[in-house]
Amino acid sequence: MKICVIGSPSTGKSVFARTLSAEMGKRGINCELVQEYASAYIQQVGAPEQAWEQLVISIGQYLSEQKTTRDHMVTDAAAFATYVYAQRALPKMINSRVWPKYRHLLDMLRTLARISAESYDLIFLLTHVFLPRQDGVRLETHLSYDECKEINRDMEVYLESERVAYHRLKANSAKALGTAIQIIEQRLLIQSPQPKSHKESDRLTIGIRSP
């Protein structure tokens, strides 16, 4: 099972994803946490300044998720989120003269976004935006409170437009973690193979032994 915890900056998605992964482990659910590739990228080389960096981040996130070796995975990012950011950032990064060239980049990001969104078994969109504060990765003034709320709306609009199922949660709610765990356990029951009844087993045995 692939589980995505998504939201704009300042929604508490990284903390929530870590807590969710740890709680799954306590319940005997073999789970791996895949952290946001964009955060590692920004820490190493700085915030994206060129349009092509959005593609690097998108591919980096997707490949990080493919490397998981455990039965279940929780991540606090998604390649489709990069496309949402790119829609906002690319027009500001480039001028009209070179726009046709970068239109191809946006088309590629859109394709990766669709592949990404369809790859998750569960998506939790965190809707509560905390007041932005310096997190050691992004500057305090990188995104305002209103911008974070706009990005969250953009993500919800994208999921709705692509008809991708998701669950809305608030990280500031004491019930959010319990709700997420309940949804995960219900999905596990649905996905787990059902044992055959004695009658079905008998019929199968008789069928094999019959001449």
Side-chain angles (χ1 to χ4, degrees):
M1 180 186 292
K2 292 181 64 178
I3 302 167
C4 173
V5 177
I6 200 65
S8 73
S10 302
T11 52
K13 63 182 183 299
S14 296
V15 173
F16 191 86
R18 287 198 300 269
T19 306
L20 180 61
S21 176
E23 183 62 26
M24 290 173 67
K26 291 177 182 178
R27 293 169 181 257
I29 303 173
N30 189 17
C31 178
E32 181 173 350
L33 176 65
V34 177
Q35 296 181 318
E36 183 183 33
Y37 181 85
S39 294
Y41 182 87
I42 293 171
Q43 288 177 331
Q44 292 175 16
V45 300
E49 297 178 354
Q50 302 294 325
W52 57 265
E53 291 181 275
Q54 299 293 335
L55 182 59
V56 172
I57 292 172
S58 184
I59 294 175
Q61 176 65 35
Y62 184 75
L63 292 178
S64 295
E65 296 171 13
Q66 304 311 303
K67 296 177 182 178
T68 58
T69 57
R70 299 188 183 181
D71 296 334
H72 310 289
M73 180 210 77
V74 174
T75 183
D76 62 344
F80 71 80
T82 306
Y83 171 62
V84 173
Y85 281 107
Q87 283 184 302
R88 297 173 61 88
L90 284 184
K92 301 175 183 178
M93 291 180 171
I94 57 183
N95 55 52
S96 58
R97 183 179 61 84
V98 297
W99 170 246
K101 179 187 298 185
Y102 287 100
R103 179 60 183 269
H104 290 282
L105 173 60
L106 196 60
D107 288 343
M108 186 172 292
L109 288 170
R110 182 186 298 112
T111 299
L112 284 171
R114 286 173 176 167
I115 295 172
S116 166
E118 293 173 356
S119 71
Y120 299 111
D121 296 285
L122 290 172
I123 296 176
F124 296 114
L125 176 68
L126 301 188
T127 59
H128 178 79
V129 179
F130 297 92
L131 289 175
R133 59 187 179 84
Q134 192 168 354
D135 60 3
V137 178
R138 301 171 180 84
L139 296 176
E140 186 174 2
T141 56
H142 176 59
L143 290 172
S144 68
Y145 176 76
D146 289 337
E147 286 174 321
C148 289
K149 292 181 69 175
E150 289 174 6
I151 291 171
N152 245 34
R153 283 196 294 269
D154 289 347
M155 289 186 180
E156 190 155 14
V157 168
Y158 173 78
L159 292 171
E160 293 285 351
S161 66
E162 294 293 328
R163 298 182 179 181
V164 177
Y166 66 97
H167 301 270
R168 302 171 89 252
L169 295 174
K170 293 183 178 181
N172 66 329
S173 170
K175 297 181 180 179
L177 181 62
T179 300
I181 289 293
Q182 184 179 19
I183 293 171
I184 290 168
E185 290 181 335
Q186 288 175 347
R187 178 60 64 89
L188 285 173
L189 285 174
I190 294 172
Q191 291 184 347
S192 61
Q194 298 298 318
K196 295 180 181 179
S197 66
H198 291 300
K199 291 184 179 179
E200 288 176 335
S201 300
D202 292 341
R203 284 199 299 269
L204 179 61
T205 303
I206 294 171
I208 292 174
R209 292 180 179 177
S210 298

